[in-house]
């Protein structure tokens, strides 16, 4: 496998870690709620997944527990914002700090312990395609799940009644209420779903890739996922593209070092984040930063 193929493999693996929370944030923002606590949901899922997998010896149970932990983090944010009308940005940051502290204390019990991550599944014939075969079709089951969730999210948001209610809640909640629906409930469900997907992203990092837990190991990916959604203009397909682009930038640094190219480590570490900021600046300059009018207003006001 040459260097470019190694970068592609890494792009899909790391990109999937970002894709799940980004899709969750997309659903949440479609309902009119921004969740900066996505980073906290990822941390909760990452730590809980490893802890349960180590305690039970079962990767599926660890996966389920990680998703549930992310959902709980999302529920805390949803209750604060939707029921208690707290400021969205402040609530998200509080959730992040809260989860960061809890995972630091609880996760200390299994520092250094290793769990075998999910084995890759090779799809015959397709995995033998030149250049892209191994990257696309010899991956962790969670990568394949990402392939499915993107079109599924697009279909739900754009082609179902539930998606119509979701988007209408983010744009004109008073119209949804007049139609006999419950915008508060819709927002609660959307934010909890986003938290669950953030937890799944954390599990994809630990059980799907590295196989262990370390304090703060999500390394800001949750905030990057929030940025990717804005860059992608709330499109599931572009969200996938942005996630894989960031994953490619991260993988490129590792592969370059592995091939003996002398590049400053700090430059490699900062490159993916610089790309994210540039993408956001370009998107903002074209007048596409916040999208729905109600979402702009939601940042500084209560629901």
């Amino acid at each position: 496998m040459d260097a470019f193929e190694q970068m592609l493999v890494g792009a899909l693996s790391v990109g999937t870690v970002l894709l799940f929370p980004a899709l969750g944030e997309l659903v949440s923002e479609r309902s009119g709620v921004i969740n900066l606590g996505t980073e906290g949901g990822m941390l909760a899922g990452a730590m809980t997944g490893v802890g349960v997998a180590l305690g039970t010896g079962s990767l599926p149970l660890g996966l389920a527990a990680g998703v549930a932990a992310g959902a709980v983090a999302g529920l805390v944010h949803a209750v604060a914002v939707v029921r208690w009308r707290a400021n969205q940005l402040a609530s998200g940051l509080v959730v992040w700090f809260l989860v960061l502290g809890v995972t630091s204390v609880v996760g200390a019990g299994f520092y250094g312990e290793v769990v075998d991550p999910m084995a890759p599944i090779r799809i015959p014939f397709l995995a033998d395609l030149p250049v892209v075969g191994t990257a696309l079709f010899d991956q962790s089951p969670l990568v394949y799940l990402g392939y499915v969730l993107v079109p599924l999210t697009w279909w739900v948001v754009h082609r179902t009644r539930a998606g119509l209610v979701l988007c209408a809640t983010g744009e004109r909640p008073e119209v949804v209420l007049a139609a006999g629906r419950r915008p508060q409930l819709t927002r609660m469900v959307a934010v909890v779903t986003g938290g669950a997907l953030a937890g799944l992203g954390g599990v994809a990092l630990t059980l799907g890739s590295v196989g262990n837990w370390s304090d703060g190991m999500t390394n800001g990916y949750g905030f990057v996922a929030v940025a990717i959604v804005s860059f992608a203009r709330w499109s599931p397909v572009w969200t996938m593209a942005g996630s894989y682009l960031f994953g490619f930038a991260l993988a490129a640094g590792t592969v370059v070092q592995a091939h003996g190219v002398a590049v400053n480590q700090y430059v490699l570490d900062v490159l993916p984040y610089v790309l994210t900021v540039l993408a956001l600046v370009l998107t903002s300059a074209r007048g596409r930063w916040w999208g729905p009018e109600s979402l702009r207003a939601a940042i500084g006001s209560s629901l």
Side-chain angles (χ1 to χ4, degrees):
M1 186 184 303
D2 61 25
F4 182 71
E5 288 180 297
Q6 290 176 347
M7 291 180 191
L8 287 180
V9 171
L12 270 292
S13 180
V14 178
T16 298
V17 173
L18 288 165
L19 178 61
F20 293 136
L23 288 176
E25 179 64 16
L26 184 150
V27 172
S28 180
E29 290 191 14
R30 281 288 186 175
S31 75
V33 179
I34 298 172
N35 185 8
L36 292 185
T38 298
E39 175 80 0
M42 292 188 72
L43 280 171
M47 187 213 69
T48 305
V50 170
V52 172
L54 286 170
T56 64
S58 170
L59 287 180
L61 284 178
L63 173 64
V67 171
V72 170
L75 179 61
V76 173
H77 181 60
V79 170
V81 169
V82 180
R83 296 299 300 273
W84 296 343
R85 300 181 182 275
N87 181 276
Q88 294 187 18
L89 300 187
S91 173
L93 292 175
V94 167
V95 169
W96 169 45
F97 282 123
L98 175 64
V99 175
L100 183 62
V102 170
T103 55
S104 296
V105 174
V106 177
F110 41 88
Y111 282 160
E113 297 195 42
V114 178
V115 57
D116 292 331
M118 297 179 182
I121 298 176
R122 182 179 179 84
I123 299 179
F125 305 113
L126 292 177
D128 296 323
L129 293 173
V131 184
V132 299
T134 300
L136 293 175
F137 304 111
D138 189 7
Q139 287 279 7
S140 161
L142 294 178
V143 174
Y144 300 128
L145 178 59
Y147 298 164
V148 175
L149 276 183
V150 170
L152 179 61
T153 302
W154 180 90
W155 179 76
V156 169
V157 170
H158 296 287
R159 290 292 185 270
T160 68
R161 183 175 297 275
L164 177 63
V165 172
L166 175 73
C167 296
T169 298
E171 291 289 342
R172 294 291 184 269
E174 66 277 6
V175 174
V176 176
L177 186 61
R181 301 282 182 170
R182 300 171 62 185
Q184 282 197 339
L185 179 61
T186 299
R187 281 174 168 155
M188 292 281 289
V189 172
V191 177
V192 172
T193 299
L197 286 171
L200 182 58
V203 172
L205 177 61
T206 51
L207 300 186
S209 181
V210 299
N212 58 49
W213 159 259
S214 61
D215 192 18
M217 67 183 301
T218 52
N219 202 30
Y221 287 178
F223 297 108
V224 173
V226 175
I228 286 172
V229 175
S230 297
F231 157 69
R233 298 174 61 201
W234 298 269
S235 163
V237 175
W238 283 107
T239 295
M240 174 184 250
S243 299
Y244 289 160
L245 174 63
F246 188 91
F248 185 86
L250 281 175
T254 303
V255 172
V256 164
Q257 284 188 321
H259 283 76
V261 179
V263 181
N264 188 289
Q265 177 64 45
Y266 296 108
V267 173
L268 296 177
D269 290 342
V270 79
L271 177 61
Y273 301 95
V274 170
L275 289 178
T276 303
V277 171
L278 287 176
L280 285 173
V281 169
L282 292 174
T283 304
S284 177
R286 294 165 67 181
R288 297 169 179 171
W289 178 263
W290 289 114
E293 181 181 352
S294 62
L295 201 57
R296 284 200 300 268
I299 296 176
S301 65
S302 302
L303 288 172

